[in-house]
Amino acid sequence: MPVTPDQQAEIDALRATPRQTLRAVSEGAEKHLYTAQPVLDHGFVRLIDYMGDDAAICQAARVSYGKGTKSVQNDEGLIRYLMRHWHSTPFEMCEIKLHVKLPVFVARQWIRHRTANVNEYSARYSILDREFYMPDPSQLAAQSTINNQGRGASLTPDESARVLDILKGDAAQTYDHYAEMIAEEGPDGTPKQGLARELARMNLPANIYTQWYWKVDLHNLFHFLRLRADAHAQYEIRVYADAICNIVADWVPAAYNAFADYRLGGAVLSAKGLACLQRMLKGEEVTQETSGMSKGEWREFESVLASS
Ligand SMILES: Cc1cc2nc3c(=O)[nH]c(=O)nc-3n(C[C@H](O)[C@H](O)[C@H](O)COP(=O)(O)OP(=O)(O)OC[C@H]3O[C@@H](n4cnc5c(N)ncnc54)[C@H](O)[C@@H]3O)c2cc1C
């Protein structure tokens, strides 16, 4: 369950007590504050806090005293210019703090992004919940034959059912052992020592859920989203990145639109790629052999042109 009724009551109470402030407020972000967007079977992304809005990016770029806003159109143009020319520091003036509940194997990929601040749920201090990620059968696929880091054809229904049985059985067994190891009473009620939580957790599988608070500035968040909302990212982290994209699109719409245009939807060409494109525009037929590119580069170049 993404949030329990008690947690939902806390969220509702927080949303019921708005305060007046002199700080920049993004109406789009306010509507997300505290609410949990469900992700995967038990996970979520919750916006806990944010600093700044589209105007704050322009204010920083202009180093202005007041609001620094010229006009919406002017600000959008400036933000697009900053994004286009990789002027990143104005985007670092905005920050976002998220509460994320995610499987441990997704957390391992996520934590590689070092330019954020993280505080994770302590499984030394607290007992982990019996919550494991069980993929939807549509996500159960065979190893890709063309991409060592990806999935290929879907498993047959029989094979999917067998895999899910294994996953569920392993999760149940390891959690039962975990609970048994930390228990301070035996099955007959006699007291026993119980293993420390910090040790008992070691046999739990990587599909158990963890939680953290994650704070990052907008520039580094865009870097994260560029890599993790991409088709090459693993589905299980991509759905979190997609959920965050929805929040960011409402929080800083002009910055998000510029990011979606230049980074998410755009493509970077090498000097060789650019030269090939120029030759093609002049009517020349260019092939991989005459391009000066490797087979892999040519494949990616062709896919960029095909998707445009
Ligand atoms: C599709 C995909 C496949 C991947 N496969 C693998 C894999 O097989 N194995 C694996 O180990 N990882 C893998 N990764 C992780 C990847 O290599 C990066 O570690 C991860 O994406 C974080 O990127 P980053 O370092 O740019 O981000 P951040 O840590 O957020 O850093 C952002 C930027 O800050 C700078 N920076 C931050 N810290 C330092 C530092 N200490 N020194 C210098 N510059 C710094 C760099 O310019 C960096 O790009 C994969 C990632 C993706 C998206």
Side-chain angles (χ1 to χ4, degrees), residues 230-270:
D230 185 85
H232 295 96
Q234 181 169 342
Y235 167 79
E236 282 78 12
I237 194 164
R238 202 165 69 228
V239 285
Y240 283 90
D242 290 344
I244 298 173
C245 280
N246 289 335
I247 296 173
V248 178
D250 287 336
W251 168 36
V252 279
Y256 184 80
N257 286 340
F259 164 71
D261 192 15
Y262 292 117
R263 304 279 186 274
L264 273 188
V268 176
L269 287 183
S270 66

Short mmCIF file of all heavy atoms in Angstrom, two decimals, residues 230-270:
data_model
loop_
_atom_site.label_atom_id
_atom_site.label_comp_id
_atom_site.label_asym_id
_atom_site.label_seq_id
_atom_site.Cartn_x
_atom_site.Cartn_y
_atom_site.Cartn_z
N ASP A 230 14.78 8.42 -19.47
CA ASP A 230 15.16 8.05 -20.84
C ASP A 230 14.76 6.60 -21.11
O ASP A 230 14.72 5.77 -20.20
CB ASP A 230 16.68 8.22 -20.95
CG ASP A 230 17.17 7.96 -22.36
OD1 ASP A 230 17.13 8.92 -23.16
OD2 ASP A 230 17.58 6.82 -22.67
N ALA A 231 14.53 6.30 -22.38
CA ALA A 231 14.11 4.94 -22.76
C ALA A 231 15.19 3.90 -22.40
O ALA A 231 14.86 2.72 -22.25
CB ALA A 231 13.82 4.88 -24.25
N HIS A 232 16.45 4.33 -22.27
CA HIS A 232 17.51 3.36 -21.93
C HIS A 232 17.53 3.01 -20.45
O HIS A 232 18.20 2.05 -20.05
CB HIS A 232 18.89 3.92 -22.32
CG HIS A 232 19.05 4.11 -23.80
ND1 HIS A 232 18.83 5.32 -24.41
CD2 HIS A 232 19.34 3.23 -24.78
CE1 HIS A 232 19.00 5.18 -25.71
NE2 HIS A 232 19.30 3.92 -25.96
N ALA A 233 16.84 3.81 -19.63
CA ALA A 233 16.84 3.53 -18.19
C ALA A 233 15.92 2.35 -17.90
O ALA A 233 14.95 2.10 -18.64
CB ALA A 233 16.36 4.77 -17.42
N GLN A 234 16.22 1.64 -16.84
CA GLN A 234 15.38 0.49 -16.46
C GLN A 234 13.97 0.97 -16.12
O GLN A 234 13.79 1.98 -15.44
CB GLN A 234 16.02 -0.21 -15.25
CG GLN A 234 15.23 -1.41 -14.81
CD GLN A 234 15.96 -2.28 -13.80
OE1 GLN A 234 17.18 -2.19 -13.67
NE2 GLN A 234 15.23 -3.13 -13.12
N TYR A 235 12.98 0.22 -16.55
CA TYR A 235 11.57 0.59 -16.34
C TYR A 235 11.29 1.00 -14.89
O TYR A 235 10.62 1.99 -14.63
CB TYR A 235 10.67 -0.58 -16.75
CG TYR A 235 9.24 -0.44 -16.27
CD1 TYR A 235 8.34 0.38 -16.95
CD2 TYR A 235 8.80 -1.10 -15.11
CE1 TYR A 235 7.04 0.54 -16.50
CE2 TYR A 235 7.50 -0.94 -14.66
CZ TYR A 235 6.63 -0.13 -15.35
OH TYR A 235 5.35 0.04 -14.89
N GLU A 236 11.82 0.23 -13.94
CA GLU A 236 11.46 0.44 -12.54
C GLU A 236 11.97 1.77 -11.99
O GLU A 236 11.40 2.28 -11.02
CB GLU A 236 11.96 -0.72 -11.67
CG GLU A 236 11.10 -1.97 -11.76
CD GLU A 236 11.33 -2.79 -13.01
OE1 GLU A 236 12.32 -2.52 -13.73
OE2 GLU A 236 10.51 -3.69 -13.30
N ILE A 237 13.04 2.34 -12.55
CA ILE A 237 13.46 3.68 -12.09
C ILE A 237 12.81 4.74 -12.99
O ILE A 237 12.51 5.85 -12.54
CB ILE A 237 15.01 3.83 -12.04
CG1 ILE A 237 15.39 5.09 -11.23
CG2 ILE A 237 15.66 3.86 -13.41
CD1 ILE A 237 16.83 5.15 -10.79
N ARG A 238 12.55 4.36 -14.24
CA ARG A 238 11.96 5.32 -15.18
C ARG A 238 10.59 5.77 -14.71
O ARG A 238 10.22 6.94 -14.85
CB ARG A 238 11.86 4.66 -16.56
CG ARG A 238 11.78 5.65 -17.69
CD ARG A 238 12.04 4.98 -19.00
NE ARG A 238 10.96 4.08 -19.36
CZ ARG A 238 11.13 2.83 -19.79
NH1 ARG A 238 12.34 2.34 -19.91
NH2 ARG A 238 10.10 2.08 -20.09
N VAL A 239 9.81 4.86 -14.10
CA VAL A 239 8.47 5.28 -13.66
C VAL A 239 8.55 6.30 -12.52
O VAL A 239 7.69 7.16 -12.40
CB VAL A 239 7.57 4.07 -13.28
CG1 VAL A 239 7.09 3.35 -14.52
CG2 VAL A 239 8.26 3.10 -12.35
N TYR A 240 9.61 6.21 -11.71
CA TYR A 240 9.81 7.24 -10.67
C TYR A 240 10.19 8.56 -11.34
O TYR A 240 9.69 9.62 -10.96
CB TYR A 240 10.90 6.81 -9.68
CG TYR A 240 10.41 5.79 -8.68
CD1 TYR A 240 10.51 4.43 -8.94
CD2 TYR A 240 9.82 6.19 -7.48
CE1 TYR A 240 10.05 3.48 -8.04
CE2 TYR A 240 9.35 5.25 -6.57
CZ TYR A 240 9.47 3.90 -6.86
OH TYR A 240 8.99 2.98 -5.95
N ALA A 241 11.10 8.48 -12.32
CA ALA A 241 11.52 9.71 -13.02
C ALA A 241 10.31 10.35 -13.71
O ALA A 241 10.15 11.58 -13.67
CB ALA A 241 12.62 9.38 -14.03
N ASP A 242 9.45 9.53 -14.29
CA ASP A 242 8.25 10.09 -14.95
C ASP A 242 7.35 10.80 -13.94
O ASP A 242 6.79 11.86 -14.22
CB ASP A 242 7.45 8.97 -15.65
CG ASP A 242 8.17 8.42 -16.88
OD1 ASP A 242 9.11 9.07 -17.36
OD2 ASP A 242 7.80 7.32 -17.33
N ALA A 243 7.20 10.19 -12.76
CA ALA A 243 6.36 10.82 -11.72
C ALA A 243 6.97 12.16 -11.30
O ALA A 243 6.24 13.14 -11.07
CB ALA A 243 6.23 9.89 -10.51
N ILE A 244 8.30 12.21 -11.19
CA ILE A 244 8.95 13.46 -10.80
C ILE A 244 8.80 14.49 -11.92
O ILE A 244 8.59 15.68 -11.66
CB ILE A 244 10.44 13.22 -10.44
CG1 ILE A 244 10.54 12.28 -9.24
CG2 ILE A 244 11.16 14.53 -10.15
CD1 ILE A 244 11.96 11.83 -8.90
N CYS A 245 8.89 14.03 -13.18
CA CYS A 245 8.69 14.96 -14.32
C CYS A 245 7.33 15.66 -14.19
O CYS A 245 7.22 16.86 -14.44
CB CYS A 245 8.76 14.21 -15.65
SG CYS A 245 10.43 13.86 -16.20
N ASN A 246 6.30 14.90 -13.80
CA ASN A 246 4.96 15.50 -13.67
C ASN A 246 4.96 16.61 -12.63
O ASN A 246 4.32 17.65 -12.81
CB ASN A 246 3.94 14.44 -13.25
CG ASN A 246 3.65 13.49 -14.38
OD1 ASN A 246 3.82 13.83 -15.55
ND2 ASN A 246 3.22 12.28 -14.05
N ILE A 247 5.68 16.38 -11.52
CA ILE A 247 5.73 17.40 -10.46
C ILE A 247 6.50 18.63 -10.95
O ILE A 247 6.07 19.77 -10.79
CB ILE A 247 6.40 16.81 -9.19
CG1 ILE A 247 5.56 15.67 -8.61
CG2 ILE A 247 6.64 17.90 -8.15
CD1 ILE A 247 6.21 14.92 -7.46
N VAL A 248 7.65 18.37 -11.60
CA VAL A 248 8.51 19.48 -12.03
C VAL A 248 7.80 20.32 -13.11
O VAL A 248 7.91 21.55 -13.12
CB VAL A 248 9.87 18.95 -12.54
CG1 VAL A 248 10.75 20.10 -13.03
CG2 VAL A 248 10.60 18.20 -11.44
N ALA A 249 7.04 19.64 -13.98
CA ALA A 249 6.33 20.36 -15.05
C ALA A 249 5.33 21.36 -14.45
O ALA A 249 5.09 22.43 -15.01
CB ALA A 249 5.61 19.38 -15.95
N ASP A 250 4.76 21.01 -13.29
CA ASP A 250 3.82 21.93 -12.63
C ASP A 250 4.55 22.97 -11.78
O ASP A 250 4.08 24.09 -11.62
CB ASP A 250 2.86 21.13 -11.73
CG ASP A 250 1.85 20.34 -12.54
OD1 ASP A 250 1.59 20.72 -13.69
OD2 ASP A 250 1.33 19.33 -12.02
N TRP A 251 5.68 22.58 -11.19
CA TRP A 251 6.43 23.48 -10.29
C TRP A 251 7.08 24.62 -11.08
O TRP A 251 6.89 25.80 -10.77
CB TRP A 251 7.48 22.64 -9.55
CG TRP A 251 8.53 23.37 -8.81
CD1 TRP A 251 8.40 24.54 -8.12
CD2 TRP A 251 9.91 22.98 -8.67
NE1 TRP A 251 9.61 24.90 -7.55
CE2 TRP A 251 10.54 23.95 -7.88
CE3 TRP A 251 10.66 21.90 -9.13
CZ2 TRP A 251 11.90 23.87 -7.54
CZ3 TRP A 251 12.00 21.81 -8.78
CH2 TRP A 251 12.60 22.80 -8.00
N VAL A 252 7.86 24.27 -12.11
CA VAL A 252 8.58 25.28 -12.91
C VAL A 252 8.28 25.02 -14.40
O VAL A 252 9.12 24.49 -15.12
CB VAL A 252 10.10 25.23 -12.62
CG1 VAL A 252 10.47 25.95 -11.35
CG2 VAL A 252 10.62 23.78 -12.55
N PRO A 253 7.07 25.40 -14.86
CA PRO A 253 6.66 25.01 -16.21
C PRO A 253 7.60 25.50 -17.31
O PRO A 253 7.89 24.75 -18.26
CB PRO A 253 5.26 25.60 -16.35
CG PRO A 253 4.99 26.41 -15.14
CD PRO A 253 6.01 26.07 -14.10
N ALA A 254 8.09 26.73 -17.19
CA ALA A 254 8.95 27.24 -18.29
C ALA A 254 10.27 26.48 -18.32
O ALA A 254 10.75 26.10 -19.40
CB ALA A 254 9.20 28.74 -18.09
N ALA A 255 10.85 26.24 -17.15
CA ALA A 255 12.12 25.50 -17.11
C ALA A 255 11.91 24.07 -17.59
O ALA A 255 12.74 23.53 -18.34
CB ALA A 255 12.68 25.51 -15.68
N TYR A 256 10.80 23.47 -17.18
CA TYR A 256 10.56 22.08 -17.59
C TYR A 256 10.36 22.00 -19.11
O TYR A 256 10.88 21.10 -19.76
CB TYR A 256 9.35 21.49 -16.86
CG TYR A 256 9.18 20.03 -17.24
CD1 TYR A 256 9.97 19.06 -16.65
CD2 TYR A 256 8.30 19.66 -18.25
CE1 TYR A 256 9.87 17.73 -17.04
CE2 TYR A 256 8.21 18.33 -18.65
CZ TYR A 256 8.99 17.37 -18.04
OH TYR A 256 8.91 16.07 -18.46
N ASN A 257 9.61 22.96 -19.66
CA ASN A 257 9.39 22.93 -21.12
C ASN A 257 10.71 23.07 -21.87
O ASN A 257 10.93 22.40 -22.88
CB ASN A 257 8.42 24.06 -21.54
CG ASN A 257 6.99 23.73 -21.15
OD1 ASN A 257 6.67 22.57 -20.92
ND2 ASN A 257 6.15 24.75 -21.06
N ALA A 258 11.58 23.94 -21.36
CA ALA A 258 12.89 24.12 -22.01
C ALA A 258 13.69 22.81 -21.90
O ALA A 258 14.33 22.37 -22.87
CB ALA A 258 13.65 25.27 -21.36
N PHE A 259 13.65 22.18 -20.73
CA PHE A 259 14.35 20.91 -20.51
C PHE A 259 13.79 19.82 -21.45
O PHE A 259 14.55 19.08 -22.09
CB PHE A 259 14.20 20.51 -19.04
CG PHE A 259 14.55 19.08 -18.75
CD1 PHE A 259 15.87 18.64 -18.81
CD2 PHE A 259 13.56 18.17 -18.41
CE1 PHE A 259 16.19 17.31 -18.54
CE2 PHE A 259 13.88 16.84 -18.14
CZ PHE A 259 15.19 16.41 -18.21
N ALA A 260 12.45 19.76 -21.52
CA ALA A 260 11.83 18.73 -22.37
C ALA A 260 12.22 18.95 -23.83
O ALA A 260 12.45 17.99 -24.57
CB ALA A 260 10.31 18.77 -22.21
N ASP A 261 12.32 20.22 -24.23
CA ASP A 261 12.64 20.53 -25.62
C ASP A 261 14.11 20.26 -25.94
O ASP A 261 14.43 19.53 -26.89
CB ASP A 261 12.30 22.01 -25.86
CG ASP A 261 12.32 22.36 -27.34
OD1 ASP A 261 12.30 21.42 -28.17
OD2 ASP A 261 12.35 23.55 -27.67
N TYR A 262 15.01 20.81 -25.13
CA TYR A 262 16.44 20.71 -25.47
C TYR A 262 17.11 19.42 -25.01
O TYR A 262 18.07 18.97 -25.61
CB TYR A 262 17.22 21.89 -24.86
CG TYR A 262 16.88 23.21 -25.49
CD1 TYR A 262 16.30 24.23 -24.73
CD2 TYR A 262 17.12 23.45 -26.84
CE1 TYR A 262 15.97 25.45 -25.31
CE2 TYR A 262 16.79 24.65 -27.42
CZ TYR A 262 16.22 25.65 -26.65
OH TYR A 262 15.90 26.84 -27.23
N ARG A 263 16.65 18.85 -23.90
CA ARG A 263 17.35 17.68 -23.36
C ARG A 263 16.55 16.38 -23.58
O ARG A 263 17.04 15.47 -24.22
CB ARG A 263 17.60 17.85 -21.87
CG ARG A 263 18.36 19.10 -21.50
CD ARG A 263 19.87 18.96 -21.70
NE ARG A 263 20.52 20.16 -21.19
CZ ARG A 263 20.69 21.28 -21.91
NH1 ARG A 263 20.32 21.34 -23.17
NH2 ARG A 263 21.25 22.36 -21.38
N LEU A 264 15.33 16.32 -23.04
CA LEU A 264 14.56 15.06 -23.15
C LEU A 264 14.23 14.73 -24.60
O LEU A 264 14.40 13.61 -25.04
CB LEU A 264 13.25 15.17 -22.36
CG LEU A 264 13.24 14.83 -20.88
CD1 LEU A 264 11.82 14.81 -20.36
CD2 LEU A 264 13.92 13.50 -20.59
N GLY A 265 13.75 15.74 -25.33
CA GLY A 265 13.31 15.49 -26.71
C GLY A 265 14.38 15.81 -27.73
O GLY A 265 14.27 15.43 -28.90
N GLY A 266 15.44 16.52 -27.33
CA GLY A 266 16.48 16.92 -28.27
C GLY A 266 17.54 15.84 -28.42
O GLY A 266 17.48 14.78 -27.81
N ALA A 267 18.53 16.12 -29.28
CA ALA A 267 19.62 15.15 -29.48
C ALA A 267 20.92 15.92 -29.65
O ALA A 267 20.92 17.05 -30.14
CB ALA A 267 19.35 14.30 -30.70
N VAL A 268 22.01 15.31 -29.24
CA VAL A 268 23.33 15.93 -29.40
C VAL A 268 24.04 15.21 -30.54
O VAL A 268 24.07 13.98 -30.57
CB VAL A 268 24.15 15.80 -28.09
CG1 VAL A 268 25.55 16.37 -28.28
CG2 VAL A 268 23.43 16.50 -26.94
N LEU A 269 24.57 15.99 -31.48
CA LEU A 269 25.29 15.38 -32.60
C LEU A 269 26.78 15.58 -32.42
O LEU A 269 27.23 16.65 -31.98
CB LEU A 269 24.86 16.04 -33.92
CG LEU A 269 23.47 15.72 -34.47
CD1 LEU A 269 23.29 16.40 -35.81
CD2 LEU A 269 23.27 14.22 -34.62
N SER A 270 27.56 14.56 -32.78
CA SER A 270 29.02 14.72 -32.80
C SER A 270 29.38 15.55 -34.03
O SER A 270 28.53 15.79 -34.91
CB SER A 270 29.67 13.34 -32.90
OG SER A 270 29.35 12.76 -34.15
#
